[in-house]
Amino acid sequence: MTKAELVAKLAQEVEISKKKASEAVDAALASIKDAVRAGETVNFIGFGSFKMVERAAREGRDPRSGRPLKIPARKTVKFSAGKAFKEMLNDGKKKKK
């Protein structure tokens, strides 16, 4: 699903204009980005959570030459799907261990 498709579906579901739906999606995404950038975890019960994680510096390899190279430490975002979302994807069935 693209952003345009999400905006169209939201506009239809909530019966608002596509312009208002686009503004709502933009505002929601900006709020999530700002919160994660500030180090907060953004939780949506039943859907999942977004949080910032730090990756340690490590050694990798240049795929062309095979030479080792140093990959610097960096921050990235991690999404963890919520329990209800995972169960919905598996038709409500839990995996057996």
Side-chain angles (χ1 to χ4, degrees), residues 67-80:
R67 292 183 181 167
L69 59 95
K70 190 171 188 175
I71 301 171
R74 61 186 294 184
K75 295 175 185 174
T76 188
V77 66
K78 178 180 177 184
F79 174 76
S80 297

Side-chain angles (χ1 to χ4, degrees), residues 82-97:
K83 181 180 176 185
F85 190 12
K86 289 179 196 176
E87 288 178 357
M88 184 269 314
L89 292 175
N90 292 297
D91 298 325
K93 298 176 187 173
K94 292 184 179 180
K95 288 185 178 182
K96 294 182 181 179
K97 293 182 180 179

Side-chain angles (χ1 to χ4, degrees), residues 7-87:
V7 166
K9 182 147 180 81
L10 180 63
Q12 181 182 8
E13 292 284 326
V14 186
E15 297 177 357
I16 58 175
S17 70
K18 284 186 180 180
K19 181 178 180 181
K20 288 286 183 192
S22 180
E23 291 171 359
V25 169
D26 288 341
L29 294 175
S31 296
I32 292 168
K33 289 177 193 176
D34 291 343
V36 171
R37 184 182 310 143
E40 298 176 42
T41 297
V42 180
N43 291 311
F44 294 104
I45 303 298
F47 180 71
S49 62
F50 297 88
K51 69 179 180 178
M52 180 176 48
V53 293
E54 293 189 32
R55 289 190 176 168
R58 62 192 193 280
E59 192 172 295
R61 294 215 171 265
D62 182 331
R64 286 190 217 168
S65 67
R67 292 183 181 167
L69 59 95
K70 190 171 188 175
I71 301 171
R74 61 186 294 184
K75 295 175 185 174
T76 188
V77 66
K78 178 180 177 184
F79 174 76
S80 297
K83 181 180 176 185
F85 190 12
K86 289 179 196 176
E87 288 178 357

